[in-house]
Amino acid sequence: MTEYFEVHARDGAARVGELRLESARTTPALVDDILEDAGSLWAADREVPAGDESTLTVLPHRAFPGGTAPEVQKSFAVDYPDVDYPSVAVVSSESVDDQGTDAYAVSNVQSIVGHGAALVEAVVSVREAIPADTALYFSGVATPRNVALLAYAGVDLFDATAAVIRGTEGRYLTTDEAYFLEDLEELPCSCPACQQPREAFSREDCAEHNRNALEAELGIVRQRIRDGRLRDYLEGQARQDQWLTAAMRELDSQWSYLEERTPILRDAQIDAASEETLRRVEIQRYADRVTTRYRNRFRNPLVLVPCSAAKPYSESQSHRQFHDAIQWRGHLVSMTSPIGVVPQELETTYPAQHYDTVVTGRWSEDEKQFVSEVLRRYLERNAESYPYVVAHVPDEGYRDIVSRVEESWTGEEDLDVTYTVPEGGHPTDDESLTNLASALSGELKYSKREREHNTVRAIADYLLGDGAGDGLFEEIQTTSRYPKIQVRDREDTQLATMVPQYGTLSFTLEGAKRWVEADVPTKRVEIDGFVPHGSVLAPGVVDADEDIRVGDEVVVDGPNAFGVGRAEMFGREMAESTRGIACEIRHVEEK
């Protein structure tokens, strides 16, 4: 049972936590000054130390280097005692079990840092084997250059050993380089150690600078995690080192590990400044849900249009011009990098209105391939619902993407595409807009009611699964104005409200009851026999559905209470954790 470590903020696998010692320490952090090592059992028998709450004690251990045979690790495995002070177990990433300690030090870390695939495999195997609310410690490897990547992968605790040793060797560390001290004509830092003339700067000063630089970088990392912006920072940082880029790409391939830990919504904007953004969980998840959960419910033609800089798209000047020409006679779907395709009903749903991208007017081949694949999958699922397709897109990038899908189309339904922007023209030119309006001539408008009802159902599909929209909201009425739609049943009982900030749905108690009764998978948190007010703490959770993600709408159910709220942990973390807020409660009633 973890008593001395608690997670306060999450950004994917990265966490801001607290070591609850006599003097609390916020993580990710250096801990070598508060660490007490009880020693290796390879050298001698060791007594279990008395320990205290002022230090983090590494229990007597046997460390196994990388590649140690499994039978050897099994034969010499240590049974860690149950102690009542902050403790650390030493484990190999090749053989790890829950030892009931507050933190875990990885013994074979020296053999994996520098190798992208090995690093990711090690972090994932250890994190998946130990409780979610325990800290992971990497000793002897952290530098200002790599610590952001290590924290992003899920490492919480570090020491300054590697940075200090390099300083004594005359290596001056920064976040993007390791300089030989003799090659520096000036000191590019303003830390206390560097406040002296270059000629007086010694190797001891260099070691102090390296530790200061590592501490400063960890401060940036912690703030980036709190802001939900660590990935943006890392995409720039990783470019400074080939193995960091390789490790980030390897981590992106660990879909289940990162997806489970990545919130479905957040306030932070995604900065799509590199092609690495295409591999982000938020981007891949959106594309996956749009192409496997969303189903078009309109009977009008599909109109493909370019995205806009303004978000949501419908508020941009260009999209207002498109709407004036379309007049609700076509179903608008925007094409964009890095998101893919965005049906008009999901234009506010995270991250469709929460990103900013580099605008050059030119698409990279990676972007074209990604958006082409998403569009193809979207059409394979929805083509039969459209009588024809209008592509109101310019030449560069957009038209190439549509043409690729059209030329490679093998679906049962013919893909009848009409292009309305003349070669070399712009979608907002008078001629282009006239062509767009003409292409939809004779089509009937769909009503505001149909638009709002389909928006509610589409968001439900996206959030809860394929068919959830019809299963929950087949017979509804809507009030208030888009995008703050209120969902009511035929008796005028409010069921849910659309949250425009995230493009999600917020359920009432009656809506939650309908959800439980419907044939729609429920995200359920089972609690103990109490009535929660404001929040449910992890110790009060009996069980939770494993598909719950941070930000999900959840039903809270127990012997004495029924409620609805929003998840603050992912499902497995709720069930495993002994500290922290599992979910925030919006409405609750006593049974």
Side-chain angles (χ1 to χ4, degrees), residues 370-395:
F370 173 71
V371 179
S372 295
E373 176 63 15
V374 177
L375 178 59
R376 181 189 63 77
R377 290 164 56 195
Y378 177 87
L379 288 171
E380 286 177 347
R381 181 172 171 83
N382 292 289
E384 64 181 16
S385 67
Y386 296 116
Y388 55 90
V389 179
V390 176
H392 190 70
V393 294
D395 293 339

Short mmCIF file of all heavy atoms in Angstrom, two decimals, residues 370-395:
data_model
loop_
_atom_site.label_atom_id
_atom_site.label_comp_id
_atom_site.label_asym_id
_atom_site.label_seq_id
_atom_site.Cartn_x
_atom_site.Cartn_y
_atom_site.Cartn_z
N PHE A 370 -1.31 10.58 -44.12
CA PHE A 370 -2.15 10.44 -42.93
C PHE A 370 -3.58 10.86 -43.22
O PHE A 370 -4.54 10.12 -42.94
CB PHE A 370 -1.58 11.27 -41.78
CG PHE A 370 -2.46 11.30 -40.56
CD1 PHE A 370 -2.62 10.18 -39.76
CD2 PHE A 370 -3.16 12.46 -40.22
CE1 PHE A 370 -3.44 10.20 -38.65
CE2 PHE A 370 -3.98 12.49 -39.11
CZ PHE A 370 -4.11 11.36 -38.32
N VAL A 371 -3.77 12.06 -43.78
CA VAL A 371 -5.12 12.55 -44.03
C VAL A 371 -5.82 11.71 -45.09
O VAL A 371 -7.03 11.45 -45.00
CB VAL A 371 -5.10 14.05 -44.40
CG1 VAL A 371 -6.52 14.55 -44.67
CG2 VAL A 371 -4.47 14.88 -43.28
N SER A 372 -5.08 11.24 -46.09
CA SER A 372 -5.67 10.36 -47.11
C SER A 372 -6.20 9.09 -46.48
O SER A 372 -7.31 8.63 -46.81
CB SER A 372 -4.63 9.99 -48.18
OG SER A 372 -4.21 11.11 -48.89
N GLU A 373 -5.43 8.51 -45.58
CA GLU A 373 -5.86 7.28 -44.92
C GLU A 373 -7.09 7.50 -44.07
O GLU A 373 -8.03 6.69 -44.07
CB GLU A 373 -4.71 6.72 -44.07
CG GLU A 373 -5.04 5.49 -43.25
CD GLU A 373 -5.41 4.28 -44.09
OE1 GLU A 373 -5.13 4.29 -45.31
OE2 GLU A 373 -5.97 3.31 -43.52
N VAL A 374 -7.13 8.61 -43.32
CA VAL A 374 -8.29 8.91 -42.48
C VAL A 374 -9.53 9.14 -43.35
O VAL A 374 -10.61 8.64 -43.06
CB VAL A 374 -8.02 10.12 -41.57
CG1 VAL A 374 -9.27 10.48 -40.77
CG2 VAL A 374 -6.86 9.84 -40.63
N LEU A 375 -9.37 9.90 -44.44
CA LEU A 375 -10.50 10.16 -45.34
C LEU A 375 -10.99 8.86 -45.97
O LEU A 375 -12.21 8.63 -46.08
CB LEU A 375 -10.09 11.15 -46.43
CG LEU A 375 -11.16 11.48 -47.47
CD1 LEU A 375 -12.41 12.07 -46.83
CD2 LEU A 375 -10.59 12.45 -48.53
N ARG A 376 -10.08 8.00 -46.38
CA ARG A 376 -10.48 6.71 -46.96
C ARG A 376 -11.29 5.89 -45.95
O ARG A 376 -12.36 5.36 -46.28
CB ARG A 376 -9.25 5.93 -47.39
CG ARG A 376 -9.57 4.57 -48.03
CD ARG A 376 -8.34 3.74 -48.24
NE ARG A 376 -7.67 3.40 -46.99
CZ ARG A 376 -8.09 2.45 -46.16
NH1 ARG A 376 -9.18 1.74 -46.45
NH2 ARG A 376 -7.45 2.20 -45.05
N ARG A 377 -10.81 5.81 -44.74
CA ARG A 377 -11.52 5.03 -43.71
C ARG A 377 -12.88 5.65 -43.40
O ARG A 377 -13.87 4.95 -43.17
CB ARG A 377 -10.67 4.94 -42.44
CG ARG A 377 -9.44 4.04 -42.60
CD ARG A 377 -8.43 4.27 -41.50
NE ARG A 377 -9.01 4.09 -40.18
CZ ARG A 377 -8.44 4.50 -39.05
NH1 ARG A 377 -7.28 5.14 -39.09
NH2 ARG A 377 -9.03 4.28 -37.88
N TYR A 378 -12.92 6.99 -43.38
CA TYR A 378 -14.19 7.68 -43.14
C TYR A 378 -15.20 7.34 -44.22
O TYR A 378 -16.37 7.04 -43.95
CB TYR A 378 -13.96 9.18 -43.07
CG TYR A 378 -15.24 9.99 -42.90
CD1 TYR A 378 -15.74 10.24 -41.63
CD2 TYR A 378 -15.92 10.48 -44.00
CE1 TYR A 378 -16.92 10.96 -41.47
CE2 TYR A 378 -17.10 11.19 -43.85
CZ TYR A 378 -17.58 11.44 -42.58
OH TYR A 378 -18.76 12.13 -42.43
N LEU A 379 -14.77 7.37 -45.47
CA LEU A 379 -15.67 7.10 -46.59
C LEU A 379 -16.07 5.63 -46.65
O LEU A 379 -17.20 5.30 -47.02
CB LEU A 379 -15.02 7.53 -47.89
CG LEU A 379 -14.92 9.05 -48.10
CD1 LEU A 379 -14.05 9.38 -49.31
CD2 LEU A 379 -16.31 9.67 -48.25
N GLU A 380 -15.17 4.73 -46.32
CA GLU A 380 -15.53 3.31 -46.28
C GLU A 380 -16.67 3.06 -45.31
O GLU A 380 -17.53 2.21 -45.56
CB GLU A 380 -14.31 2.47 -45.89
CG GLU A 380 -13.28 2.32 -46.98
CD GLU A 380 -12.06 1.54 -46.55
OE1 GLU A 380 -11.91 1.31 -45.33
OE2 GLU A 380 -11.26 1.16 -47.42
N ARG A 381 -16.71 3.82 -44.25
CA ARG A 381 -17.77 3.65 -43.24
C ARG A 381 -19.04 4.39 -43.62
O ARG A 381 -20.15 3.96 -43.28
CB ARG A 381 -17.25 4.14 -41.88
CG ARG A 381 -18.25 4.00 -40.74
CD ARG A 381 -17.57 4.33 -39.42
NE ARG A 381 -18.52 4.42 -38.32
CZ ARG A 381 -19.00 3.38 -37.64
NH1 ARG A 381 -18.62 2.15 -37.95
NH2 ARG A 381 -19.85 3.56 -36.64
N ASN A 382 -18.90 5.52 -44.34
CA ASN A 382 -20.05 6.40 -44.52
C ASN A 382 -20.47 6.65 -45.97
O ASN A 382 -21.47 7.33 -46.21
CB ASN A 382 -19.78 7.76 -43.86
CG ASN A 382 -19.71 7.67 -42.35
OD1 ASN A 382 -20.73 7.48 -41.69
ND2 ASN A 382 -18.51 7.80 -41.80
N ALA A 383 -19.73 6.16 -46.95
CA ALA A 383 -20.00 6.51 -48.35
C ALA A 383 -21.42 6.20 -48.77
O ALA A 383 -22.05 6.97 -49.52
CB ALA A 383 -19.00 5.80 -49.26
N GLU A 384 -21.98 5.08 -48.30
CA GLU A 384 -23.32 4.71 -48.74
C GLU A 384 -24.39 5.66 -48.26
O GLU A 384 -25.50 5.68 -48.79
CB GLU A 384 -23.64 3.29 -48.27
CG GLU A 384 -23.69 3.13 -46.76
CD GLU A 384 -23.98 1.70 -46.36
OE1 GLU A 384 -23.85 0.78 -47.20
OE2 GLU A 384 -24.35 1.49 -45.19
N SER A 385 -24.08 6.49 -47.26
CA SER A 385 -25.08 7.45 -46.76
C SER A 385 -25.09 8.75 -47.57
O SER A 385 -25.96 9.59 -47.36
CB SER A 385 -24.81 7.77 -45.29
OG SER A 385 -23.59 8.48 -45.13
N TYR A 386 -24.12 8.93 -48.46
CA TYR A 386 -24.05 10.15 -49.27
C TYR A 386 -24.44 9.86 -50.71
O TYR A 386 -23.92 8.92 -51.32
CB TYR A 386 -22.63 10.71 -49.26
CG TYR A 386 -22.14 11.17 -47.90
CD1 TYR A 386 -21.05 10.54 -47.29
CD2 TYR A 386 -22.72 12.24 -47.25
CE1 TYR A 386 -20.58 10.96 -46.06
CE2 TYR A 386 -22.26 12.68 -46.02
CZ TYR A 386 -21.18 12.04 -45.43
OH TYR A 386 -20.71 12.46 -44.21
N PRO A 387 -25.33 10.68 -51.30
CA PRO A 387 -25.66 10.48 -52.72
C PRO A 387 -24.48 10.80 -53.64
O PRO A 387 -24.32 10.18 -54.69
CB PRO A 387 -26.83 11.44 -52.95
CG PRO A 387 -26.72 12.46 -51.87
CD PRO A 387 -26.14 11.75 -50.68
N TYR A 388 -23.66 11.76 -53.26
CA TYR A 388 -22.45 12.09 -54.00
C TYR A 388 -21.56 12.96 -53.13
O TYR A 388 -21.94 13.36 -52.01
CB TYR A 388 -22.75 12.80 -55.33
CG TYR A 388 -23.60 14.04 -55.25
CD1 TYR A 388 -23.02 15.30 -55.07
CD2 TYR A 388 -24.99 13.97 -55.37
CE1 TYR A 388 -23.80 16.45 -55.00
CE2 TYR A 388 -25.77 15.11 -55.31
CZ TYR A 388 -25.17 16.35 -55.12
OH TYR A 388 -25.95 17.48 -55.04
N VAL A 389 -20.35 13.22 -53.62
CA VAL A 389 -19.35 13.98 -52.85
C VAL A 389 -18.96 15.24 -53.60
O VAL A 389 -18.68 15.19 -54.81
CB VAL A 389 -18.08 13.12 -52.60
CG1 VAL A 389 -17.04 13.93 -51.84
CG2 VAL A 389 -18.43 11.84 -51.86
N VAL A 390 -18.96 16.36 -52.91
CA VAL A 390 -18.47 17.62 -53.45
C VAL A 390 -17.16 17.95 -52.75
O VAL A 390 -17.12 18.05 -51.52
CB VAL A 390 -19.49 18.76 -53.24
CG1 VAL A 390 -18.91 20.09 -53.72
CG2 VAL A 390 -20.80 18.46 -53.95
N ALA A 391 -16.09 18.11 -53.52
CA ALA A 391 -14.79 18.47 -52.96
C ALA A 391 -14.53 19.93 -53.26
O ALA A 391 -14.15 20.30 -54.38
CB ALA A 391 -13.69 17.58 -53.55
N HIS A 392 -14.78 20.77 -52.27
CA HIS A 392 -14.57 22.21 -52.42
C HIS A 392 -13.21 22.54 -51.81
O HIS A 392 -13.10 23.14 -50.74
CB HIS A 392 -15.69 22.99 -51.74
CG HIS A 392 -15.68 24.46 -52.04
ND1 HIS A 392 -15.99 24.97 -53.27
CD2 HIS A 392 -15.36 25.53 -51.26
CE1 HIS A 392 -15.88 26.28 -53.24
NE2 HIS A 392 -15.49 26.65 -52.02
N VAL A 393 -12.14 22.13 -52.52
CA VAL A 393 -10.79 22.21 -51.97
C VAL A 393 -9.83 22.79 -53.00
O VAL A 393 -10.01 22.63 -54.20
CB VAL A 393 -10.30 20.82 -51.54
CG1 VAL A 393 -11.13 20.29 -50.38
CG2 VAL A 393 -10.34 19.82 -52.70
N PRO A 394 -8.78 23.48 -52.55
CA PRO A 394 -7.79 24.04 -53.46
C PRO A 394 -6.85 22.96 -53.98
O PRO A 394 -6.86 21.82 -53.52
CB PRO A 394 -7.04 25.04 -52.58
CG PRO A 394 -7.16 24.49 -51.20
CD PRO A 394 -8.51 23.83 -51.14
N ASP A 395 -6.00 23.34 -54.93
CA ASP A 395 -5.08 22.39 -55.56
C ASP A 395 -4.09 21.81 -54.56
O ASP A 395 -3.94 20.60 -54.46
CB ASP A 395 -4.29 23.08 -56.68
CG ASP A 395 -5.17 23.48 -57.85
OD1 ASP A 395 -6.27 22.90 -57.97
OD2 ASP A 395 -4.78 24.37 -58.62
#
